[in-house]
C-alpha cells in the first residue's frame, strides 16, 4: 500500500515505528536492544503521544515553533527521556509542507517566536547541546539573546549547522534525508531495506551526536567500522555490540533515517515486505 | 504518569503497544517473535492506523458498528492480516464509554444496524469464525438472517459467547478484563507486570481462539503447561517455544490482555517501570 493511502500524521508515526523496530541498527534502540533508561516501549510511547502535535502540523494549526513545543511536551512525560527530539525537528516541517520542497518553504517562514518556542521546548527535554557559548539552550540569557539578535528558528539552525547534521538538513534543503529516501527505494522493502540504508549512511557520514558525546575520533572510528562491515569484513551485529558496549549511539543518523523513511513513504516506497501491503 | 494524562485514543494505542512488545508472551507475536506472515511491525502499523476510528469512538462520532467498520477498514490494508480484530471488539466500547460501566451502557444500546456493520467489517478481514451454521459470517445469507431475527450486535455476541471468550466479555460485563486489570495492579509496573498477568490468565483460562483453531485438547494442554510454569516447573520461554513451534496462539487472551491494560491505565496503573514516568 502506498504512502499516500494514509494521512501524513500516520505516515510520520509509521516512519518512526519502522525505524525503531528495524534490526540490527548499530548503537541504537531496536526491537532487540534497550538502553538501561530508554527502552523500545519509550520510543513507541513517544510515537503514539506525538499524535496531536503531528495532527496540528498536518492541519497547519499553529506556527512551527508552537507545534514543536506541543509535541515535545506531549512526548517528554515518560521515563525514557528524550527519544525523538531530532526526528521531530525534521518531521514537523515535512508534515506541514507535505514534501521536502514544502518543508523548505515552511522553514524559510520561521520567526523569532518560533526560535523562542524551540528553546522552551528544548528546556522541557533536558537534552544538552554540549555548547558553552551564550546561545547554549541551557543558558538563562539565551532567549534574550535571540530577541536582541532577531534570530528566527532558521537562524538558530544556521548557528548550529556546523556542529549538528540535523540542523544542516534545515539549512541545506534536506540533502541526507533525500539520500536516505533514495537508498530506501534502491534497497527493496521492509525493515531489511531500512537496515541497509542506515548502514550505508553510517559508513559514509560522521554522526554529530556521537561527536558531541564522545568526540570526533570515536565518530570516525564508528564510520570506519561501518565501512569494514559493508566491505564484507565483519558483521553488523558485531558493530552493534561494539557501539552498545561503549554507549556509542548514532542518534542523528537515526533521526535522518526517520525523515528518509517518511519521504520514501510519501513517494510510494513499500514498507511491507510481506507483499500484500 | 497516570492514564488520565493522555486521551482515550492514545491510551488504547498505548495498551495495544505495551501488549505486543511484552516478552515472553507464550505463542504470541512479541518483540522477539514474528510469525512468518505477521510480524511485530504489522501489529504496530495496525495500532497507528486505528487512530481515526479510535478518535471517532472517543468523540462518540457514529454508531459502534460504524466505528468498528472504519477501524477494521483502516487497519486491514497491510500484509500482516488481521492483527487486532478481537482487541477492537473490546476497545471500541471501552473508549466510547470511558470505563467498563460506560462500555456496558454502549453495548446495551447496540442495534441491528451495528450487527450488520460488524458482519461487513468481518468480511473485510478474511477472519474465519470456524462456524458452520447460518450465522457464520462467511455465509451469504447471514445479513438477511440478522435482519429477519432482529439481532442487535449484543445479540450476535450472545450467540457467539458459548464458543468465544471475547464475546463473553460483552455479555458478562468484562469479567476477564477486570481480572486482567486487577492482576496488573498487583504485579508491579511495566512489561514485566504484563507478562505476569498474561501468564496467570493462560494458566487459568482456556483460550477459545486456540480451541477454534486446534481443538479443546490443545487448549487444555496449553493451560496445563502454563500452570506448570507458574508452579516453578519449567520456564516461560520453553512454553513460548512449544506454542510457537505448533502455531498455538492464545490470541483471545491477548485481546483481553489489551483491554485489561487499557482499564488499568485508566485506573492509574504505572506502565513505565523506569520510575520517572
Amino acid at each position: 500500500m502506498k504512502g499516500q493511502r494514509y494521512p501524513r500524521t500516520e505516515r510520520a508515526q509509521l516512519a518512526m515505528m519502522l525505524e525503531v523496530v528495524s534490526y540490527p541498527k548499530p548503537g541504537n534502540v531496536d526491537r532487540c536492544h534497550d538502553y538501561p533508561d530508554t527502552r523500545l516501549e519509550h520510543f513507541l510511547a513517544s510515537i503514539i503521544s506525538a499524535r496531536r502535535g503531528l495532527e496540528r502540523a498536518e492541519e497547519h494549526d499553529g506556527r512551527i515553533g508552537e507545534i514543536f513545543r506541543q509535541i515535545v511536551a506531549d512526548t517528554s512525560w515518560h521515563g525514557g527521556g528524550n527519544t525523538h527530539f531530532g526526528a521531530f525537528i525534521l518531521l514537523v516541517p515535512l508534515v506541514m509542507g507535505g514534501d521536502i520542497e514544502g518543508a523548505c518553504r515552511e522553514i524559510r517562514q520561521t520567526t523569532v517566536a518560533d526560535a523562542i518556542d524551540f528553546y522552551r521546548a528544548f528546556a522541557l527535554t533536558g537534552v544538552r547541546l554540549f555548547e558553552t557559548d551564550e546561545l547554549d539552550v541551557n543558558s538563562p540569557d539565551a532567549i534574550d539573546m535571540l530577541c536582541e539578535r532577531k534570530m528566527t528558528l532558521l537562524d538558530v539552525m544556521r548557528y548550529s549547522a556546523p556542529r549538528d547534521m540535523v540542523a544542516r538538513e534545515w539549512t541545506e534543503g534536506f540533502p541526507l534525508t533525500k539520500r536516505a529516501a533514495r537508498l530506501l527505494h534502491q534497497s527493496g522493502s521492509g525493515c531489511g531495506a531500512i537496515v541497509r540504508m542506515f548502514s550505508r549512511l553510517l559508513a559514509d557520514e560522521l554522526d554529530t551526536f556521537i561527536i558531541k558525546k564522545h568526540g570526533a575520533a570515536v565518530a570516525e572510528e564508528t564510520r570506519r567500522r561501518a565501512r569494514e562491515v559493508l566491505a564484507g569484513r565483519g558483521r553488523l551485529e558485531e558493530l552493534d555490540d561494539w557501539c552498545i558496549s561503549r554507549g556509542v549511539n548514532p542518534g542523528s543518523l537515526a533521526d535522518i533515517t526517520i525523515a528518509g523513511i517518511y519521504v520514501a513513504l510519501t513517494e510510494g516506497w513499500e514498507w511491507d515486505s510481506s507483499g500484500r501491503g
Side-chain angles (χ1 to χ4, degrees), chain A residues 10 14 20 28 32 56 72 74 82 115 169 185 189-190 197 213 217 263 274:
Chain A
E10 277 102 317
L14 199 54
V20 78
N28 284 314
C32 299
R56 284 184 69 186
V72 173
D74 286 349
N82 161 62
E169 292 297 286
H185 288 299
S189 63
M197 173 261 269
K213 208 167 151 193
V263 169
S274 67

Side-chain angles (χ1 to χ4, degrees), chain A residues 26 197-205 210 222-223 226 239 250 253:
Chain A
M197 173 261 269
F198 182 78
S199 309
R200 186 74 258 170
L201 293 181
L202 204 57
D204 290 347
E205 305 294 332
I210 298 179
T222 308
R223 184 173 63 176
L239 176 57
L253 285 175

